[in-house]
Amino acid sequence: MSTHHARAAKAFQENKENAQWHDQTLWLVRQKRDRLSKDIPEWEQLRQLAHDIKMHSTSHLPELIEQFEEKATANGCIVHYAKDAEEYRQIIHEILAKHNVKKMVKSKSMLSEECELNDYLISKGIDVVESDLGERILQLMNAHPSHIVMPAIHIKREAVGKLFEEKLGSEKGNSDPTYLTHQARKSLRQDFLNADAAMTGGNFAVAETGEVVVCTNEGNADMGMACQKLNITAFGIDKLIPNLDSLAVFTRLLARSATGQPCTTYTAHYGRPHEGGEQHFILVDNGRSEILAQPEHRKILNCIRCGACMNTCPVYRRSGGYSYSYFIPGPIGINLGMLHDAHDHSGNVSACSLCLSCSFVCPVKVDLGEQIYIWRQKLDGLGEANKEKKLMINAMTPVFKSPTLFNSALRMAPIVNKLPRPLLYNKLNAWGESRELPKFAKQSFNNWWKQNHKK
C-alpha cells in the first residue's frame, strides 16, 4: 500500500495558517463557479449534453481517431500514436533529435506529468522550459503541481518573491504579484525567442477539423507555438470530440467550472504547420483503452480536467495536493490513481467523505464520489483493506445484526461519558486526535419514540 493519505495530510496540517489559507482560497474559486453557473439558465442541460457527447466520443474512439488523422494530415500536420508513456517520450525525443533541438519551450500539460517527460528529455541533453507561470515556479523549485489547473496554488507570493530573488535576480523583499509576473515574463520572453521547438498539450481534439484546442489565461502556449516553426501537440485519446458544435458546449463549461471565468483569456486552435515548419500531433493511449473496458469506471474518461472537484472537495482543500500518492490529487486523482495501480494508490481511497460534492459540480457529470465508494468495496479483495477497520467491523457486525444486542449497547453507551479521559483519547481514537467526542444521550431515540408516540 502507498503512504497513507492521512499521515501526509497530517504533515500538511502542521502549518495551520497555510492550511487554512489553502482551504479558503479554493473555496472562493468554488463560490465563483457557483455564481457564474447560476447566470446560465440552461447550465444543467449543458452538463447533460457534455456528458452525452463525451459518452458518445469514448464509445466511438476508433472512428474519431481515424477522422482526426485524415483531417490533420490533409491540413499538412504529422500524426503519431503512442501506446504508452515510454513510446510517447521516445516519439518526442526522436522529433527533437532529428531537428537537433537543444531547448524546447513548453506549455502546461498534465499528460507530460503523467508520462514523466521533462526528466527524460533533460537526461537526453534537451533543456525543457515550462512557460506557464505556475509550472515555471514549480520547475524552479524542482517541485510538481499540487492542482491540475492552478499548479502552484499552495505557494504564497512571499515564497515566490524569495524564489525569484535567487533564480531570476529580482528585487529583494518584493513580493508584489504584478512585479513578480513582469519578472517571469521578462525571463521567459528570451526563452520563447531562443528556443528551437515548442510543445503544448491539448484540452480538446476536434475530429471534424483535425485541430487541437488549447485554453489558457496567460497566452504562453500561443507565444511558444507562434515563435517556433517546430511545434508538438500531445494529448490523450480521451480528448477527442466529434465537431465544433461539441466544442462550443465544452468551452461554455470549462472556464466557469475551473476558475469561475466566463471563458479563458486565450482559446487557441492548432491545425496547420507554419510555413516551412512542422506541426506534430501525438495521440496517446497509456491505459485509456483499459479504462474504457471497465463499465463501472469508464465515465472517468469524460473528465475535461477543470479541477472543480478539487476546489469543492473538503478533504483536498484541507490536506493539500501533495498528500495524495498519485500525481493528480483530489477526487479525480483518487480514481485515476486506482485505475493506474490499485495497490500503489489504495491509500488515497480513504481521502473522501462521500459527500458527493465532486459529482454534483463536475461539468461532465463524472460520478466521482460513487466510483470512490466502489473502490472501497474492492479494497478487501485487493488485499488492501485497513486491518484496524476490518477488526472493528467484524466486532460490530453482530451488534448491528441483533436488535437485542443493539438496544442493550444503546442503554449502556452513556457509561462512556464517565470514563477517564486517557481511556477515550489515545492512539486507537484517530477521531479524538483533533476533535472532542460527542456525549452519548441518556436516552436513546428508540426509547424516546416508544414513550412519546404510543398508539
Side-chain angles (χ1 to χ4, degrees):
M1 182 185 288
S2 60
T3 301
H4 201 281
H5 175 273
R7 289 194 290 271
K10 186 176 181 180
F12 178 80
Q13 280 286 328
E14 287 177 1
N15 187 336
K16 295 293 183 185
E17 183 182 351
N18 195 65
Q20 186 177 21
W21 171 80
H22 186 267
D23 177 26
Q24 292 173 345
T25 300
L26 288 163
W27 184 247
L28 285 173
V29 179
R30 160 68 203 271
Q31 289 178 315
K32 287 171 65 180
R33 173 259 177 208
D34 289 351
R35 286 196 295 271
L36 264 74
S37 66
K38 287 180 174 63
D39 288 341
I40 301 179
E42 66 274 23
W43 179 258
E44 290 303 319
Q45 288 92 330
L46 282 171
R47 289 182 69 217
Q48 185 61 49
L49 183 55
H51 166 274
D52 295 344
I53 293 170
K54 271 291 190 177
M55 294 301 290
H56 169 83
S57 299
T58 53
S59 61
H60 292 79
L61 274 177
E63 299 96 311
L64 293 180
I65 290 171
E66 287 182 12
Q67 186 182 15
F68 178 87
E69 181 185 11
E70 180 184 347
K71 295 295 183 180
T73 303
N75 292 339
C77 303
I78 303 168
V79 179
H80 310 262
Y81 296 99
K83 64 181 178 182
D84 54 27
E86 182 180 359
E87 201 163 75
Y88 159 87
R89 293 190 297 263
Q90 288 175 351
I91 290 170
I92 294 172
H93 180 248
E94 286 170 6
I95 296 169
L96 299 178
K98 179 182 176 182
H99 292 82
N100 197 31
V101 170
K102 299 300 180 186
K103 178 191 280 190
M104 181 176 74
V105 66
K106 179 173 163 287
S107 175
K108 183 163 77 73
S109 165
M110 291 309 290
L111 178 63
S112 69
E113 292 283 342
E114 176 184 336
C115 299
E116 300 176 340
L117 177 66
N118 286 13
D119 289 342
Y120 176 83
L121 292 180
I122 292 169
S123 72
K124 299 291 185 180
I126 298 172
D127 183 16
V128 180
V129 179
E130 293 286 356
S131 61
D132 174 89
L133 179 56
E135 289 281 355
R136 184 60 177 156
I137 290 167
L138 294 171
Q139 187 177 37
L140 292 173
M141 286 183 163
N142 195 28
H144 294 283
S146 69
H147 191 287
I148 57 176
V149 174
M150 301 169 282
I153 188 65
H154 61 292
I155 302 171
K156 289 191 174 183
R157 59 187 177 92
E158 291 81 6
V160 177
K162 291 180 181 178
L163 175 72
F164 281 13
E165 285 176 29
E166 178 187 345
K167 302 291 185 179
L168 304 182
S170 62
E171 293 178 8
K172 289 188 176 181
N174 193 338
S175 59
D176 176 70
T178 302
Y179 171 75
L180 295 175
T181 302
H182 282 297
Q183 290 299 300
R185 180 186 295 168
K186 180 181 176 182
S187 170
L188 285 168
R189 187 166 296 274
Q190 296 307 310
D191 293 315
F192 285 128
L193 296 173
N194 300 328
D196 306 307
M199 178 180 172
T200 185
N203 291 95
F204 308 101
V206 186
E208 177 186 62
T209 59
E211 61 188 339
V212 176
V213 179
V214 179
C215 306
T216 68
N217 279 324
E218 299 170 23
N220 55 304
D222 307 66
M223 280 288 292
M225 299 291 273
C227 291
Q228 308 305 321
K229 288 195 172 182
L230 176 58
N231 298 146
I232 301 171
T233 302
F235 55 92
I237 56 175
D238 53 310
K239 298 299 180 73
L240 281 157
I241 58 174
N243 47 43
L244 292 174
D245 287 341
S246 301
L247 177 66
V249 175
F250 292 111
T251 52
R252 293 190 72 192
L253 291 164
L254 178 61
R256 287 178 170 87
S257 298
T259 53
Q261 299 169 257
C263 63
T264 49
T265 309
Y266 303 92
T267 302
H269 293 235
Y270 302 119
R272 295 179 184 275
H274 293 300
E275 186 176 349
E278 294 179 9
Q279 171 68 63
H280 294 262
F281 290 134
I282 306 173
L283 285 73
V284 184
D285 189 318
N286 200 37
R288 286 157 177 78
S289 295
E290 284 81 357
I291 296 174
L292 189 59
Q294 300 183 50
E296 289 178 318
H297 300 293
R298 63 171 56 138
K299 277 189 185 179
I300 285 294
L301 295 176
N302 284 17
C303 177
I304 57 174
R305 302 296 193 269
C306 68
C309 61
M310 299 178 189
N311 302 336
T312 196
C313 178
V315 180
Y316 170 82
R317 296 198 324 262
R318 291 166 175 82
S319 61
Y322 294 150
S323 61
Y324 298 79
S325 61
Y326 196 56
F327 79 100
I328 293 178
I332 182 64
I334 294 172
N335 283 293
L336 287 170
M338 291 299 286
L339 287 162
H340 178 72
D341 191 321
H343 293 284
D344 275 359
H345 303 295
S346 60
N348 298 329
V349 177
S350 63
C352 176
S353 66
L354 293 179
C355 67
L356 301 189
S357 182
C358 53
S359 300
F360 296 145
V361 302
C362 178
V364 284
K365 292 194 170 184
V366 180
D367 51 345
L368 293 159
E370 292 86 344
Q371 289 195 44
I372 292 172
Y373 178 75
I374 290 171
W375 282 117
R376 286 187 178 178
Q377 313 314 304
K378 294 179 179 180
L379 286 179
D380 197 23
L382 292 167
E384 299 290 354
N386 184 287
K387 294 180 181 178
E388 293 176 359
K389 290 180 181 178
K390 282 187 69 175
L391 182 63
M392 287 188 285
I393 289 170
N394 290 336
M396 294 301 296
T397 297
V399 177
F400 284 113
K401 282 186 173 182
S402 168
T404 301
L405 289 176
F406 181 78
N407 288 313
S408 297
L410 285 179
R411 286 193 296 272
M412 297 171 62
I415 297 173
V416 175
N417 298 336
K418 300 177 181 179
L419 292 177
R421 190 172 181 87
L423 287 178
L424 293 176
Y425 296 90
N426 49 58
K427 291 183 178 180
L428 294 176
N429 182 5
W431 175 272
E433 286 186 18
S434 56
R435 309 172 186 85
E436 287 292 313
L437 290 170
K439 298 292 183 182
F440 283 99
K442 293 181 180 179
Q443 185 181 33
S444 70
F445 176 79
N446 282 354
N447 287 335
W448 177 88
W449 182 268
K450 290 174 182 178
Q451 291 177 8
N452 292 280
H453 290 77
K454 293 180 179 178
K455 291 182 180 179

